[in-house]
Amino acid sequence: MSPLSPPEAFTRPGAHWRIEHFLGNDLVETLLSYVEANQSAFVPTTVTNTKGMCVNPNKRVSLGLRDFGVLRDALEERFRAVMNEAVETLRLKPFGLKRLEMELVAHGDGAFFHTHIDTQTGAADDKSFRALSAVLYFHTLPKGYQGGELRIHSLVPATEGGRFIDIIPGRDTLLLFPAWLPHEVLPVSCDSGDFMDSRFAINCWFRR
Ligand SMILES: O=C(O)CCC(=O)C(=O)O
Ligand SMILES: [Fe+2]
């Protein structure tokens, strides 16, 4: 290592924790019915810039829905239940939870989300900050899309010797990582173009 090389902890892909079979098949099927019934309520997702939230197809293309209807409480309960273990596993500084922010996202053909950190893409809210990110993946069977891996980067960018890991979104897999970790969603291709063949996910941000 030359005296100018960054420490290995900064060039290795950031900490993440994966939980399989997080919701169970019944709840996954309920979620699929919910997104199908509410397809028309999905709208283009936003990112945050200096002026606030905006749609920016150069950075993020997907459809989102923030209304979970009667499913909200059951989902919140599942997410809240893993917070403490996630903080320990990811060696985060313990924090008091102010609220959960949740978003349903459909990545269809051509959708992606360029490299970002969630603390910067979140809604401006001077009372709370995103501390921990969780993403629950689901899709119909057989899976109707390709690509869409979640790429988790190191703190040092790849152009400066950093590394990354690609995570294939598994049906009913929850992936947790610190909200300040750089990550991206690689482009999705979906041959049928059907909404129900999308790469579905629930983003859940634990706000401190
Ligand atoms: O869907 C994913 O894998 C991650 C989505 C994401 O990074 C975000 O919405 O902030
Ligand atoms: Fe993100």
Side-chain angles (χ1 to χ4, degrees):
M1 188 172 94
S2 86
L4 292 177
S5 302
E8 206 273 331
F10 293 179
T11 57
R12 85 168 81 102
H16 54 280
W17 182 36
R18 191 193 316 225
I19 306 175
E20 314 285 354
H21 311 295
F22 182 66
L23 295 179
N25 199 49
D26 286 355
L27 197 41
V28 169
E29 289 296 334
T30 305
L31 272 170
L32 285 166
S33 305
Y34 183 78
V35 295
E36 186 162 30
N38 291 280
Q39 179 181 347
S40 61
F42 278 76
V43 293
T45 51
T46 55
V47 292
T48 303
N49 67 14
T50 47
K51 295 193 195 95
M53 312 277 282
C54 66
V55 174
N56 184 342
N58 294 319
K59 291 199 171 142
R60 186 185 195 192
V61 171
S62 52
L63 295 171
L65 177 64
R66 285 186 174 246
D67 182 5
F68 288 80
V70 293
L71 298 177
R72 173 101 201 178
D73 289 351
L75 292 167
E76 273 222 13
E77 197 184 311
R78 302 291 184 101
F79 288 124
R80 280 175 190 272
V82 292
M83 185 180 121
N84 289 343
E85 201 178 343
V87 167
E88 237 174 74
T89 306
L90 298 171
R91 297 168 183 251
L92 295 178
K93 196 170 152 215
F95 62 91
L97 182 66
K98 287 247 178 74
R99 68 179 177 94
L100 289 185
E101 177 190 355
M102 284 164 55
E103 177 182 43
L104 264 167
V105 183
H107 282 79
D109 194 43
F112 64 89
F113 195 166
H114 280 174
T115 306
H116 64 279
I117 59 174
D118 289 347
T119 47
Q120 270 181 351
T121 54
D125 175 348
D126 56 16
K127 293 192 196 68
S128 70
F129 302 88
R130 290 172 173 176
L132 169 65
S133 297
V135 192
L136 184 275
Y137 301 104
F138 62 105
H139 55 78
T140 48
L141 294 173
K143 181 175 158 184
Y145 73 89
Q146 294 82 44
E149 296 86 354
L150 172 70
R151 178 166 290 181
I152 293 188
H153 293 272
S154 52
L155 287 176
V156 169
T159 48
E160 292 165 33
R163 290 177 286 132
F164 57 78
I165 182 170
D166 287 346
I167 290 166
I168 295 171
R171 183 175 140 117
D172 202 16
T173 298
L174 183 71
L175 210 272
L176 298 119
F177 54 92
W180 42 260
L181 203 67
H183 58 282
E184 65 182 304
V185 179
L186 299 184
V188 168
S189 58
C190 177
D191 295 340
S192 72
D194 287 349
F195 177 74
M196 287 311 293
D197 281 334
S198 298
R199 170 197 191 270
F200 290 109
I202 297 176
N203 290 328
C204 175
W205 293 284
F206 297 77
R207 300 187 72 115
R208 61 173 168 81

Coordinates of all heavy atoms in Angstrom, one line a residue, residues 88-130:
E88 N -27.1 -3.1 15.1 CA -26.0 -3.8 15.7 C -25.2 -4.5 14.6 O -23.9 -4.4 14.5 CB -26.6 -4.9 16.6 CG -26.1 -4.9 18.0 CD -26.8 -5.9 18.8 OE1 -26.5 -7.1 18.7 OE2 -27.7 -5.5 19.6
T89 N -25.9 -5.2 13.7 CA -25.2 -5.9 12.6 C -24.4 -5.0 11.7 O -23.3 -5.3 11.3 CB -26.2 -6.7 11.8 OG1 -27.0 -7.5 12.6 CG2 -25.6 -7.6 10.7
L90 N -24.9 -3.8 11.4 CA -24.2 -2.9 10.5 C -23.3 -1.9 11.3 O -22.7 -1.1 10.7 CB -25.3 -2.1 9.7 CG -26.2 -2.9 8.8 CD1 -27.3 -2.1 8.3 CD2 -25.4 -3.5 7.7
R91 N -23.2 -2.1 12.6 CA -22.4 -1.3 13.5 C -22.6 0.2 13.3 O -21.7 1.0 13.2 CB -20.9 -1.6 13.2 CG -20.5 -3.0 13.5 CD -19.1 -3.3 13.0 NE -18.8 -4.7 13.2 CZ -17.9 -5.1 14.1 NH1 -17.2 -4.3 14.8 NH2 -17.6 -6.4 14.3
L92 N -23.9 0.5 13.3 CA -24.3 1.9 13.2 C -24.4 2.5 14.6 O -24.6 1.7 15.6 CB -25.7 2.0 12.5 CG -25.8 1.6 11.1 CD1 -27.3 1.8 10.6 CD2 -24.9 2.5 10.2
K93 N -24.3 3.8 14.7 CA -24.4 4.4 16.0 C -25.9 4.3 16.3 O -26.8 4.7 15.5 CB -24.0 5.9 15.8 CG -23.8 6.6 17.1 CD -23.1 7.9 16.9 CE -23.5 8.8 18.0 NZ -23.7 10.2 17.6
P94 N -26.3 3.8 17.5 CA -27.7 3.6 17.9 C -28.4 5.0 17.8 O -27.8 6.0 18.1 CB -27.6 3.1 19.3 CG -26.3 2.5 19.4 CD -25.4 3.2 18.6
F95 N -29.6 5.0 17.3 CA -30.4 6.2 17.2 C -31.8 6.0 17.6 O -32.3 4.9 17.6 CB -30.3 6.8 15.7 CG -30.9 5.8 14.7 CD1 -32.2 5.9 14.3 CD2 -30.1 4.8 14.1 CE1 -32.8 5.1 13.4 CE2 -30.7 4.0 13.1 CZ -32.0 4.1 12.8
G96 N -32.5 7.1 18.0 CA -33.9 7.0 18.3 C -34.7 7.2 17.0 O -34.5 8.1 16.2
L97 N -35.7 6.3 16.8 CA -36.5 6.3 15.6 C -37.5 7.4 15.7 O -38.4 7.4 16.6 CB -37.1 5.0 15.4 CG -38.0 4.8 14.1 CD1 -37.1 4.9 12.8 CD2 -38.7 3.5 14.1
K98 N -37.5 8.4 14.8 CA -38.5 9.4 14.7 C -39.7 8.9 13.9 O -40.9 9.0 14.4 CB -38.0 10.7 14.1 CG -37.0 11.5 15.0 CD -37.6 12.8 15.4 CE -36.7 13.6 16.3 NZ -35.6 14.2 15.6
R99 N -39.4 8.3 12.7 CA -40.5 7.8 12.0 C -40.0 6.9 10.8 O -38.8 7.0 10.5 CB -41.4 8.9 11.4 CG -40.8 9.8 10.3 CD -41.8 10.8 9.8 NE -41.2 11.7 8.9 CZ -41.2 11.5 7.5 NH1 -41.8 10.5 7.0 NH2 -40.7 12.4 6.7
L100 N -40.9 6.1 10.3 CA -40.5 5.3 9.1 C -41.1 6.0 7.9 O -42.2 6.5 7.9 CB -41.2 3.9 9.1 CG -40.7 2.9 10.1 CD1 -41.4 1.6 9.9 CD2 -39.2 2.7 10.0
E101 N -40.3 6.1 6.8 CA -40.7 6.6 5.6 C -40.8 5.5 4.6 O -39.8 4.7 4.4 CB -39.7 7.7 5.1 CG -40.0 8.3 3.7 CD -38.9 9.1 3.2 OE1 -37.9 9.4 3.9 OE2 -39.0 9.6 2.0
M102 N -41.9 5.3 4.0 CA -42.0 4.1 3.1 C -42.5 4.4 1.7 O -43.3 5.3 1.5 CB -43.0 3.1 3.7 CG -42.4 2.3 4.9 SD -43.6 1.5 5.9 CE -44.5 0.5 4.7
E103 N -42.0 3.7 0.7 CA -42.4 4.0 -0.7 C -42.4 2.7 -1.4 O -41.5 1.9 -1.3 CB -41.3 4.9 -1.3 CG -41.4 5.3 -2.7 CD -40.3 6.1 -3.2 OE1 -39.1 5.9 -2.8 OE2 -40.5 7.1 -3.9
L104 N -43.4 2.4 -2.2 CA -43.5 1.3 -3.1 C -42.9 1.7 -4.4 O -43.3 2.8 -4.9 CB -45.0 0.9 -3.4 CG -45.6 -0.2 -2.5 CD1 -47.1 -0.1 -2.8 CD2 -45.0 -1.5 -2.9
V105 N -42.0 0.9 -5.0 CA -41.4 1.3 -6.3 C -41.5 0.2 -7.3 O -41.2 -1.0 -7.0 CB -39.9 1.7 -6.1 CG1 -39.3 2.2 -7.4 CG2 -39.8 2.8 -5.1
A106 N -41.9 0.5 -8.5 CA -41.9 -0.4 -9.6 C -40.8 0.0 -10.7 O -40.9 1.1 -11.2 CB -43.3 -0.5 -10.3
H107 N -39.8 -0.9 -10.9 CA -38.9 -0.6 -11.9 C -39.3 -1.5 -13.1 O -39.2 -2.7 -13.1 CB -37.5 -1.0 -11.5 CG -36.8 -0.1 -10.6 ND1 -37.0 0.0 -9.3 CD2 -35.8 0.9 -10.9 CE1 -36.2 1.0 -8.7 NE2 -35.5 1.5 -9.7
G108 N -39.8 -0.8 -14.2 CA -40.2 -1.5 -15.4 C -39.1 -1.5 -16.4 O -37.9 -1.2 -16.1
D109 N -39.4 -1.8 -17.7 CA -38.4 -1.8 -18.7 C -37.7 -0.5 -18.8 O -38.3 0.6 -19.0 CB -39.1 -2.1 -20.1 CG -38.1 -2.5 -21.1 OD1 -37.1 -3.3 -20.8 OD2 -38.2 -2.1 -22.3
G110 N -36.3 -0.5 -18.8 CA -35.5 0.7 -18.9 C -35.3 1.5 -17.6 O -34.6 2.5 -17.6
A111 N -36.0 1.1 -16.5 CA -35.9 1.8 -15.3 C -34.5 1.6 -14.6 O -33.8 0.6 -14.8 CB -37.0 1.4 -14.3
F112 N -34.1 2.6 -13.8 CA -32.8 2.5 -13.1 C -32.8 3.6 -12.1 O -33.7 4.5 -12.0 CB -31.6 2.8 -14.1 CG -31.7 4.2 -14.7 CD1 -31.0 5.2 -14.1 CD2 -32.4 4.4 -15.9 CE1 -31.1 6.5 -14.6 CE2 -32.5 5.7 -16.4 CZ -31.9 6.8 -15.7
F113 N -31.7 3.6 -11.3 CA -31.5 4.7 -10.3 C -30.0 4.9 -10.2 O -29.3 4.0 -9.7 CB -32.1 4.4 -9.0 CG -32.3 5.6 -8.0 CD1 -33.1 5.5 -6.9 CD2 -31.6 6.8 -8.2 CE1 -33.2 6.6 -6.0 CE2 -31.7 7.9 -7.4 CZ -32.5 7.8 -6.3
H114 N -29.4 5.9 -10.8 CA -28.0 6.1 -10.8 C -27.4 6.3 -9.3 O -28.2 6.5 -8.4 CB -27.6 7.4 -11.5 CG -27.6 7.1 -13.0 ND1 -27.4 8.1 -13.9 CD2 -27.7 6.0 -13.8 CE1 -27.4 7.6 -15.2 NE2 -27.6 6.3 -15.1
T115 N -26.1 6.2 -9.2 CA -25.5 6.2 -7.9 C -25.9 7.4 -7.1 O -25.9 8.5 -7.5 CB -23.9 6.2 -8.1 OG1 -23.6 5.1 -8.9 CG2 -23.2 6.1 -6.7
H116 N -26.3 7.1 -5.8 CA -26.7 8.2 -4.9 C -26.6 7.7 -3.5 O -26.3 6.5 -3.2 CB -28.2 8.5 -5.2 CG -29.1 7.3 -4.9 ND1 -29.3 6.3 -5.8 CD2 -29.8 7.0 -3.8 CE1 -30.1 5.4 -5.2 NE2 -30.4 5.8 -4.0
I117 N -26.8 8.6 -2.6 CA -26.9 8.2 -1.1 C -28.3 8.6 -0.7 O -28.8 9.7 -1.1 CB -25.8 8.8 -0.3 CG1 -25.8 10.3 -0.3 CG2 -24.4 8.2 -0.7 CD1 -24.8 10.9 0.7
D118 N -28.9 7.9 0.2 CA -30.3 8.1 0.5 C -30.5 9.4 1.4 O -31.6 10.0 1.4 CB -31.0 6.9 1.2 CG -31.2 5.8 0.2 OD1 -31.0 6.0 -1.0 OD2 -31.4 4.7 0.6
T119 N -29.4 9.8 2.1 CA -29.6 11.0 2.9 C -29.7 12.2 2.0 O -30.2 13.3 2.4 CB -28.3 11.2 3.8 OG1 -27.2 11.0 3.0 CG2 -28.3 10.2 4.9
Q120 N -29.3 12.1 0.7 CA -29.4 13.3 -0.2 C -30.6 13.2 -1.1 O -31.1 14.2 -1.6 CB -28.2 13.3 -1.1 CG -27.0 14.2 -0.5 CD -25.9 14.2 -1.5 OE1 -25.8 13.5 -2.5 NE2 -24.9 15.1 -1.1
T121 N -31.2 12.0 -1.3 CA -32.3 11.9 -2.2 C -33.6 12.0 -1.5 O -34.7 12.1 -2.1 CB -32.3 10.6 -3.0 OG1 -32.2 9.5 -2.0 CG2 -31.1 10.5 -3.9
G122 N -33.6 12.1 -0.1 CA -34.8 12.1 0.6 C -35.5 13.4 0.6 O -35.0 14.5 0.3
A123 N -36.8 13.4 1.0 CA -37.6 14.6 1.2 C -37.0 15.5 2.2 O -36.5 15.0 3.3 CB -39.0 14.2 1.6
A124 N -36.9 16.8 1.9 CA -36.4 17.7 2.9 C -37.3 17.7 4.2 O -38.5 17.7 4.0 CB -36.4 19.1 2.3
D125 N -36.7 17.5 5.3 CA -37.5 17.4 6.5 C -36.5 17.8 7.6 O -35.6 17.0 8.0 CB -38.0 15.9 6.7 CG -38.7 15.7 8.0 OD1 -38.6 16.5 8.9 OD2 -39.3 14.6 8.1
D126 N -36.7 18.9 8.2 CA -35.7 19.4 9.1 C -35.9 18.8 10.5 O -35.1 19.1 11.4 CB -35.6 20.9 9.2 CG -37.0 21.5 9.5 OD1 -37.9 20.8 10.0 OD2 -37.2 22.8 9.3
K127 N -36.9 17.9 10.7 CA -37.1 17.3 12.0 C -36.5 15.9 12.0 O -36.5 15.3 13.1 CB -38.6 17.3 12.3 CG -39.2 18.6 12.5 CD -40.6 18.5 13.1 CE -41.4 19.8 12.9 NZ -41.7 20.1 11.5
S128 N -36.2 15.3 10.9 CA -35.7 14.0 11.0 C -34.8 13.7 9.7 O -34.9 14.4 8.7 CB -36.8 12.9 11.0 OG -37.5 12.9 9.8
F129 N -33.9 12.7 9.9 CA -33.0 12.4 8.8 C -33.0 10.9 8.6 O -33.2 10.1 9.5 CB -31.6 12.8 9.3 CG -31.4 14.2 9.6 CD1 -31.7 14.7 10.9 CD2 -31.1 15.1 8.6 CE1 -31.6 16.0 11.2 CE2 -31.0 16.5 8.9 CZ -31.2 16.9 10.2
R130 N -32.8 10.5 7.3 CA -32.7 9.1 7.0 C -31.4 8.5 7.6 O -30.3 9.0 7.3 CB -32.7 8.8 5.5 CG -34.1 9.1 4.9 CD -33.9 9.1 3.4 NE -35.2 9.1 2.7 CZ -35.3 9.2 1.4 NH1 -34.2 9.1 0.6 NH2 -36.5 9.2 0.8

